Amino acid sequence: MKGDVTTMKRSKKLTSLIMAALLMLSVTACGEGASGSSEAGKDSSGENVSSSSVSASDDLFDENGRYKEPVTITYSKVMFPGAKFPADQSPEQNYINDFLKERYNIEMKLAWSAEGSEYNNKLSINIASGELCDLMFVDNYITFRQMAEDDLLADLTEIYPKYRGATLELVDNSFENRNIEAVTVEGKQLAVPGSNLGYAQNLLWLRKDWLDALDLEVPKTLDEIAAVLEAFVNEDPDGNGQNDTVGLVVQATNPVNGYANNYGLESVFNAFDVFPTQWLTDDEGKVYYGSTDPKMKDALTLLADWYQRGLIDKQFPTRIGSTEALWTSGTAGAKFGPWWAVANATEALANTPDIEYVAVAGPVNSKGEFNYMTGAPTGSVSVVSKECKHPEAAIIALAANNEIVRGTYDKNDEIACKYGEQSLELRVSGAIDDAGGRSLDVLGALTFDYFDVVPKLSACVKDYVENGSYTEYPGMTDYDKSQCIAAKRFADGDKDEANFWAYWSRYVGGNVTEEGNPVYPAYYFETESSTTLKAALDKLEDEMYLQIILGEKPVDYFDEFVSQWKALGGDTLTEEVQAIVDQG
């Protein structure tokens, strides 16, 4: 799978004012409901936000929504070395497990754990030996498919919707169930999908202060962008009297790498209605790899011309590990990147305190449309063993964990309030870092978020910056609220690093993410042969981009690349993707 965009680098530094405000919000939000109340609370929009859809009418539960008899769920967990959390908390025993025991009578028992890649190795060993625990994290889609084909997984088709609770239902609805489709095999839902944020397509980021200095309009078309880049390079936009400015900043090692590729060139290809690195289907349902589309040559021709004219940073192939430094140095004027990738705030503020940006949903194609590629709705999944006696308890645990951590639990539930406030205080006080928080979560790595949370939150940030108030959306978290506060502080003159990031990313970048037309691939993941074939194919593809753009090979070399790609295993991968797409 591609990198989970929920792990993207972003500033989460919270000032004392933000911490105090969020703690006050949490404390005042919790009501005086009866302990263990199973009645769903409502947020300001009137939407139910309960930890799970546990009903006293179900024979398994008592009148307070607790199991009548204790239920034990064994589970595996991803560990994070160096994680920060208090001495009275541990990955094995912590406030999340305490909450599940007190609120639902669910005892979480850690079967095994491992770090990083070792986790996948240990999971493979457990699968081979037939020693599966009840609840498992799986971050390799092919592993999930293999487990499904070997009939190792519980059928969650009816269980998951019943026990997922209101917040996960909102998450799934935001994806229009594309995330559920990804874990549905032959009509059966066989996993709980983690979620990747949507709307992380690349935007065109420009130095607004440079546009203003040169009296230039914000560009949308490729020709307009080229004219702006030329001015950035040749017309001294920083006014220092030196020929030291750069146009378009490009990533050195993977200039074309797919969805959410910071400093990538994918947007230029999209403007020619081609979508490199994506598996697509033609009008007849036949699968093809977007990087082999003949229209790629038109985009490559343009990029080679831009590089020759100096519109693209001439030194980009040598800037391995220093691309971000060029952008934050104050000497570069443009790049393509997602809403979250505006800049490293610390370096940008230090080098150019008064820097300004603008984000553009572009370039547009010949019809004036901004078409962009999309990412996998599911970055990782959790599965329940077919032998689990209470698969619904595993779903309840995941849903309740998510509610407590995100602050969307039932505010009429005293037990939920107690642990929700503890969770928030641990985070905003700095007692745990991001890795520490994940270490205490049930599985350690699975995350849930709304597909459209970026434009929703950005709209709230915009309202708060411009009007001093905003209307909460269903499932809005404490962290989301902190972003409104931070962006408003920046607009009011407080150029703290966290405020800088929230303002330019949320207020500026996030508010143009709904512009344009998303293109959904036919398939997002790797296949059985990817392990042995993909590395060589990707290397061949990366070399093709660099050789043509730098002028080392003519554009017609693309045809040779396509032939080599197919012969070296591309046809095999295509056949495997076709089989999966046909299977559904």
Side-chain angles (χ1 to χ4, degrees), residues 20-38:
L22 293 182
L23 286 169
M24 183 61 69
L25 282 170
S26 177
V27 171
T28 57
C30 282
E32 300 297 329
S35 175
S37 170
S38 61

Side-chain angles (χ1 to χ4, degrees), residues 275-320:
F275 303 91
T277 76
Q278 307 292 290
W279 291 106
L280 306 163
T281 53
D282 60 21
D283 293 338
E284 298 178 353
K286 185 177 180 181
V287 168
Y288 70 96
Y289 186 54
S291 299
T292 64
D293 189 323
K295 295 193 296 293
M296 289 277 292
K297 294 171 70 173
D298 296 328
L300 289 166
T301 299
L302 177 81
L303 289 169
D305 176 65
W306 280 11
Y307 182 78
Q308 182 63 34
R309 293 162 58 190
L311 309 187
I312 295 174
D313 170 31
K314 280 284 191 177
Q315 303 302 317
F316 89 85
T318 67
R319 295 191 193 275
I320 298 174

Side-chain angles (χ1 to χ4, degrees), residues 203-211 219 225-226 228-230 232-233 237 245-251 262-265 306 311-313 323 326-328 330-337 341-342 355-358 360:
L203 308 169
L204 173 62
W205 284 96
L206 297 164
R207 287 282 299 271
K208 182 180 182 299
D209 49 333
W210 284 12
L211 290 173
I225 292 170
V228 165
L229 294 177
E230 191 161 23
F232 280 0
V233 171
T245 52
V246 173
L248 185 65
V249 180
V250 176
Q251 187 179 147
N262 194 20
Y263 301 106
L265 293 168
W306 280 11
L311 309 187
I312 295 174
D313 170 31
T323 306
L326 174 63
W327 176 247
T328 58
T331 61
K335 76 163 186 172
F336 293 107
V342 53
I355 197 168
E356 294 183 356
Y357 303 100
V358 63
V360 184

